[in-house]
Amino acid sequence: MWLVLALLPARAAWGQAPVYSAGTIVNAPNYAPGPFAPNSILSIFGSALARSSQGVTAGDIVNNTLPLELNNTRVYVMDSPAPLLYVSDSQVNFLVPGNQLDGDVKIRVVREGLTGPEVAVTLVDAAPALFQTAAGYAIAAHVDSSAVAPGSPAHSGEIIVVYACGLGMTQPNPAPGAIPQSAAAIQRLSDLKVYLGGTAIDPAGILYAGVTPGSPGLYQINVILPDNLGTDPEIRVAIADQSTPPGLKLAVQ
């Protein structure tokens, strides 16, 4: 009898539908709220989202495409399953399909046939987000792929790679969930601005802005750092009226 009683809460929990809201859907790189962009990595926070934790493995990838289901969990964007990267009881990371059009987009999580609420988020052409460390530095790399960090800062005149999300559609544009196999520049390259210390760098200093081959949803911006930056300038990336939040630093000396 005691064993039966002990199992009752667990059975009830498995029967619970996924719980989340539009406000608990954020950009994965920095947990910032929307709006979001096509081909962005988003996180959904809640409860009863999956039976247990599971990330994508090589066995889940077929024809260079992310899976649409992990551990019996799916995320639907406008009633079509979205590519998944990670699921757990409290968090799901998924990729907004790269061909999804702007506007209000309905999202819902389904676990083992149990459907969570259908909530709406807003998509725009581009909504830049920078990956960052807990110390408040943008995640970037030297040309040798080593990390740009306070212990290994970048210098004026150096070419570095800044990693981002949400830069929008590219040319060519990847199919939903497809892992990019080659470089593809963003369609709105002429609207892209990189600010260092509050000043936009010369567009000629932006050597490339597009997807990172082999990494779905990940973008990179290759830039030549201008002179006289000072130490650890603020970095912001903007496309039209959408900009990354203030306060993030780039490790420069």
Side-chain angles (χ1 to χ4, degrees):
M1 176 62 71
W2 287 110
L3 178 60
V4 170
L5 291 175
L7 288 174
L8 284 177
R11 289 171 182 257
W14 289 130
Q16 180 184 6
V19 177
Y20 52 89
S21 69
T24 62
I25 301 177
V26 296
N27 267 307
N30 57 5
Y31 297 157
F36 309 111
N39 202 39
S40 290
I41 304 172
L42 304 189
S43 293
I44 301 175
F45 290 98
S47 61
L49 302 179
R51 294 191 64 173
S52 58
S53 300
Q54 183 176 332
V56 169
T57 66
D60 299 313
I61 297 172
V62 178
N63 295 326
N64 290 316
T65 302
L66 293 174
L68 302 179
E69 182 176 303
L70 278 177
N71 205 2
N72 297 304
T73 290
R74 288 190 173 210
V75 173
Y76 286 86
V77 177
M78 299 300 282
D79 291 326
S80 294
L84 297 178
L85 294 159
Y86 171 81
V87 300
S88 73
D89 173 74
S90 59
Q91 179 178 353
V92 171
N93 292 352
F94 72 100
L95 190 67
V96 178
N99 60 355
Q100 186 65 52
L101 299 179
D102 299 353
D104 289 338
V105 173
K106 295 177 181 178
I107 294 175
R108 60 189 171 94
V109 178
V110 177
R111 190 206 75 246
E112 300 174 297
L114 296 172
T115 300
E118 187 172 69
V119 299
V121 301
T122 301
L123 287 192
V124 293
D125 283 349
L130 294 177
F131 290 86
Q132 61 189 67
T133 69
Y137 285 89
I139 293 180
H142 300 283
V143 291
D144 65 359
S145 298
S146 63
V148 171
S152 178
H155 300 278
S156 295
E158 180 181 351
I159 297 174
I160 66 166
V161 177
V162 179
Y163 291 103
C165 181
L167 300 188
M169 294 185 179
T170 59
Q171 189 63 40
N173 202 47
I179 299 173
Q181 300 301 299
S182 59
I186 61 174
Q187 292 183 5
R188 299 193 63 178
L189 183 59
S190 61
D191 296 325
L192 174 68
K193 293 186 182 300
V194 177
Y195 294 90
L196 292 172
T199 301
I201 69 171
D202 187 334
I206 301 175
L207 305 179
Y208 171 75
V211 296
T212 299
S215 299
L218 180 65
Y219 295 78
Q220 65 184 69
I221 306 171
N222 300 1
V223 298
I224 303 174
L225 295 180
D227 295 331
N228 304 317
L229 278 178
T231 301
D232 295 350
E234 178 189 71
I235 179 170
R236 299 184 72 177
V237 173
I239 296 180
D241 61 346
Q242 296 295 324
S243 173
T244 57
L248 194 62
K249 298 176 290 186
L250 182 67
V252 173
Q253 195 174 76

